[in-house]
Amino acid sequence: MATGRAAVLDQPMGTFSIETFNVPDPASGTVLLRQELAGCCATDAHTYLGMWKAEFPVIMGHENVGVIEAIGSGGALDFNGRELHVGDRVIARSTYCGTCYECRGARQPRNCRNRKVQYGFSSPTTALFSGGYGEYLYLSSPMTTFMLKIDAPPSVAVLHEPLAVAAHAVRKAQPRLGSTVVVQGSGAIGLFTLGLARQAGAARAIVVGGPAERLELAQAFGADAVVNIDELRDPEERVRAVLDETPGRLGADVVYGCVGKSAAWSEGIDYLRDGDGRFLEVGLAGDDGEVGFNPATQLVAKNASFIGALGMADEDSVAAVAMMENKRLPLEHMVSHQLPLERVGEAMEALNGTYLLDGRTAFKIAIAPNGQMP
Ligand SMILES: [Zn+2]
Ligand SMILES: [Zn+2]
C-alpha cells in the first residue's frame, strides 16, 4: 500500500512531527488529492496557539489546492456541476451540507451537523489526510466538501480561501459606483478586499497599514493613497491623514476593518463620513477583547451602519475563482514563501511574531508538501 507524509501537531503550542500514513483508496463519492500548496493564515496561527477550535492531534491546512490522484466509484462533480477527472486541479475546503436543520431551518450553516470532518482542523485519528499540510488531502466527506476546478497556477489558486473571505466582505458592504473606501490593514485579507472593492466600483481607495513592502503591494492592488502605521504612530494623526485623502475631507463611504485587533476598531469608525457610512469588520475572526465605543457620537450621530462578516458562503468561493481566472488582480505576487512540511512550525512562528521569515517580510506563506510549485 502506498504511504504519504503529513505534519501532525500534537497539542496547542506543541510540536509538529512528520508522520507517515497509508494512503486511502477513495470510497464511493470521495476524492483523493495530491497536494500542491496549502496556505498558512492567521487562523492556523491561532489554531497553533489553541485559540481556534480543532481536534488534536491535528493536521492543519485549510487553504488547499491540489491535483486529483484518484476518485471513488461513481465519479464526482465539482460545485459548478462539472465532471471531475484524475489530473484536474481543484481547490477544496470544508463547507456546509445545505440540507440539515441548522443549514435550512435555522439558517446557521456554520453549525451544520453533517460537518464531521473539517479539513485542516480534524485529527488523523478521525480521518486520514484530513488537512493540507500533507502530501495528500483525502476529501472523505462528500456531503460537506466544496471542490471547484480552477484554471490558475497553484501559487495563485492557493489564495482562494482569503479571496473568498474578501469577496464575502465586499458583497456585504458593496461600494457604490464612485465611492471612497478605506481598507484598514494590509495583510492578505486587506489587500484582497481592496482589490475586489476597486473591481466592484470604488473610485478611490486608501489603505492604512504596514510595513512598507505591503503598502507597495497595496498600490498594485489599487490603493490611491497609503498611510504607513510605522510612520504615523498616533491614531488621531492617522485619522487626520485618512480624512485628508478623502474627497472634501468628508471621510469614507465604506471602511473595511481587516486588522484583526479590536483596538483598531474605534479608529476605523472615525474614518467614516457623516451620513450613511458603513463600517464592515472582517478581520476579527477570533475574540480579541472589548473596546471603548461611543454609540451616540460614533454610530447614531453619523447615521452609520456596522456590519460583521465571518468566513464565506460557497457563492463567494465561486466568485473568488472567477476573479483568479480573469487575472485582473496581481495575485501572482502574494505567495512570498513556499516551505516543505518540515518547516510548518517556522511558518507558525512567523505568523505569530514579526512576519519575517528567511530575512524577508511574509505576504503569504504556503506549505509545499510535494516540492516547489509554479
Ligand atoms: Zn485561512
Ligand atoms: Zn448542514
Side-chain angles (χ1 to χ4, degrees):
M1 192 179 236
T3 59
R5 302 177 320 137
V8 181
L9 175 64
D10 55 349
Q11 59 184 38
M13 301 186 74
T15 321
F16 288 96
S17 50
I18 308 297
E19 294 184 26
T20 301
F21 301 97
N22 288 330
V23 179
D25 242 346
S28 173
T30 71
V31 169
L32 179 72
L33 295 189
R34 185 174 164 80
Q35 270 292 87
E36 295 190 301
L37 291 174
C40 303
C41 82
T43 303
D44 297 302
H46 286 149
T47 303
Y48 172 75
L49 294 175
M51 291 163 62
W52 190 269
K53 213 175 111 202
E55 191 186 39
F56 287 89
V58 65
I59 302 178
M60 296 185 345
H62 61 278
E63 303 180 355
N64 296 309
V65 58
V67 165
I68 296 181
E69 176 91 358
I71 301 177
S73 65
L77 302 176
D78 80 355
F79 183 82
N80 283 345
R82 293 170 298 189
E83 205 175 303
L84 292 171
H85 301 281
V86 169
D88 284 345
R89 174 170 297 135
V90 295
I91 60 157
R93 61 169 172 77
S94 287
T95 185
Y96 40 86
C97 79
T99 59
C100 70
Y101 169 71
E102 285 76 12
C103 283
R104 274 197 182 162
R107 290 189 291 126
Q108 293 176 338
R110 294 193 66 83
N111 298 327
C112 173
R113 67 178 66 184
N114 289 318
R115 198 150 65 158
K116 300 213 167 70
V117 180
Q118 283 235 58
Y119 307 124
F121 305 97
S122 286
S123 169
T125 57
T126 306
L128 283 175
F129 292 105
S130 56
Y133 300 165
E135 290 173 345
Y136 296 92
L137 178 66
Y138 181 33
L139 302 168
S140 59
S141 172
M143 209 177 186
T144 57
T145 297
F146 179 92
M147 266 184 301
L148 204 55
K149 269 200 250 196
I150 183 163
D151 179 18
S155 63
V156 170
V158 70
L159 305 170
H160 66 90
E161 198 250 10
L163 195 60
V165 168
H168 179 220
V170 172
R171 176 164 65 83
K172 283 190 91 170
Q174 177 102 24
R176 293 183 189 100
L177 272 178
S179 60
T180 296
V181 302
V182 174
V183 175
Q184 195 187 15
S186 53
I189 298 289
L191 294 174
F192 295 169
T193 301
L194 160 71
L196 294 176
R198 286 309 296 255
Q199 297 285 325
R204 188 163 175 77
I206 300 142
V207 172
V208 184
E213 297 96 313
R214 280 174 180 267
L215 295 178
E216 260 169 53
L217 199 50
Q219 279 161 327
F221 273 87
D224 299 292
V226 295
V227 173
N228 188 335
I229 57 170
D230 297 328
E231 286 166 10
L232 279 188
R233 296 195 157 270
D234 174 24
E236 279 176 33
E237 264 182 70
R238 288 199 290 263
V239 171
R240 278 196 295 276
V242 166
L243 294 182
D244 282 345
E245 293 293 346
T246 63
R249 289 199 91 252
L250 290 176
D253 298 291
V254 185
V255 174
Y256 298 100
C258 307
V259 176
K261 298 222 180 344
S262 45
W265 218 62
S266 187
E267 178 183 338
I269 293 166
D270 288 343
Y271 302 153
L272 274 185
R273 58 171 296 134
D274 271 3
D276 291 333
R278 288 170 293 161
F279 179 91
L280 179 136
E281 176 61 48
V282 59
L284 269 172
D287 185 349
D288 189 47
E290 295 177 12
V291 283
F293 165 64
N294 186 325
T297 60
Q298 290 184 290
L299 177 68
V300 178
K302 284 190 165 194
N303 269 301
S305 302
F306 292 171
I307 303 162
L310 178 65
M312 79 294 273
D314 291 341
E315 64 178 287
D316 301 308
S317 287
V318 173
V321 167
M323 294 308 290
M324 288 189 276
E325 290 182 338
N326 81 8
K327 301 191 181 115
R328 295 222 181 111
L329 300 177
L331 297 167
E332 64 280 9
H333 302 302
M334 276 307 291
V335 173
S336 53
H337 298 72
Q338 290 192 23
L339 305 180
L341 286 177
E342 290 76 9
R343 297 188 66 193
V344 171
E346 289 174 63
M348 294 305 121
E349 217 171 282
L351 295 183
N352 282 318
T354 57
Y355 275 77
L356 266 178
L357 189 59
D358 299 336
R360 287 180 291 125
T361 295
F363 297 142
K364 186 73 179 174
I365 304 171
I367 304 302
N370 289 300
Q372 298 279 307
M373 291 289 153

